[in-house]
Amino acid sequence: MEKRNHVVIADTLLRGFKSGLGVTWQLAKIVVPIYFLITFLKHTPVLDIISSLFSPFMGVFGLPGEAAIVLVLGNMVNLYAAIGAMVSLPLTVREITILAIMLSFCHSILVETALVKKIGLSAIKVIAVRVGLAILSGLAFNCFLA
């Protein structure tokens, strides 16, 4: 009986390990390329152009201009792409917290809006609520964490 329990435990651990490797591979396929892309852009004028272009808008949230890349990736791709960008940018804990809170309301907006539209909700209303909550939370936490 005890030997059978060891076999069950070993089998469970092996399946868990394989599953964990699969998830890690799926996430790495998103995070690693984004990390390298943003790191590459830091060595070109592109990141400076993006930063200066979006600095006025992002400053309202207490964020640097390049944080716009994180928001775009989080909204258009997924949260893991946003994490890859966050890791490669020189962001403070405060800035990462504000971005994370904003993205918690408004992430993967294209995919999730398509899903809620299928169940009969208004896409415009869903987008407005999600973007509105992201903006309000960004403004509030910029003041709260100041």
Side-chain angles (χ1 to χ4, degrees):
M1 180 79 163
E2 191 172 309
K3 185 176 181 176
R4 193 167 68 181
N5 286 340
H6 290 293
V7 172
V8 170
I9 291 171
D11 182 55
T12 302
L13 288 173
L14 183 62
R15 283 186 291 126
F17 180 74
K18 286 180 180 178
S19 179
L21 282 178
V23 170
T24 300
W25 175 245
Q26 292 297 322
L27 295 178
K29 288 192 309 187
I30 298 167
V31 174
V32 172
I34 295 294
Y35 176 84
F36 281 115
L37 176 67
I38 301 301
T39 301
F40 173 77
L41 290 177
K42 284 197 288 189
H43 299 289
T44 69
V46 174
L47 197 58
D48 290 334
I49 292 168
I50 291 170
S51 181
S52 62
L53 187 65
F54 289 99
S55 281
F57 176 70
M58 299 307 290
V60 172
F61 304 108
L63 299 171
E66 58 264 9
I69 295 170
V70 175
L71 290 176
V72 169
L73 288 170
N75 284 298
M76 298 302 155
V77 182
N78 59 33
L79 289 174
Y80 302 109
I83 290 168
M86 275 192 231
V87 170
S88 64
L89 293 172
L91 299 170
T92 66
V93 172
R94 178 185 178 279
E95 293 165 345
I96 291 171
T97 302
I98 292 170
L99 283 167
I101 291 167
M102 291 177 76
L103 285 169
S104 70
F105 287 109
C106 190
H107 63 276
S108 303
I109 200 156
L110 298 176
V111 173
E112 292 187 8
T113 301
L115 291 174
V116 297
K117 192 173 179 185
K118 282 187 176 186
I119 61 171
L121 297 174
S122 165
I124 300 295
K125 289 179 183 176
V126 168
I127 291 171
V129 167
R130 292 182 72 192
V131 171
L133 286 171
I135 290 170
L136 287 174
S137 68
L139 293 171
F141 277 89
N142 180 33
C143 294
F144 179 70
L145 297 175

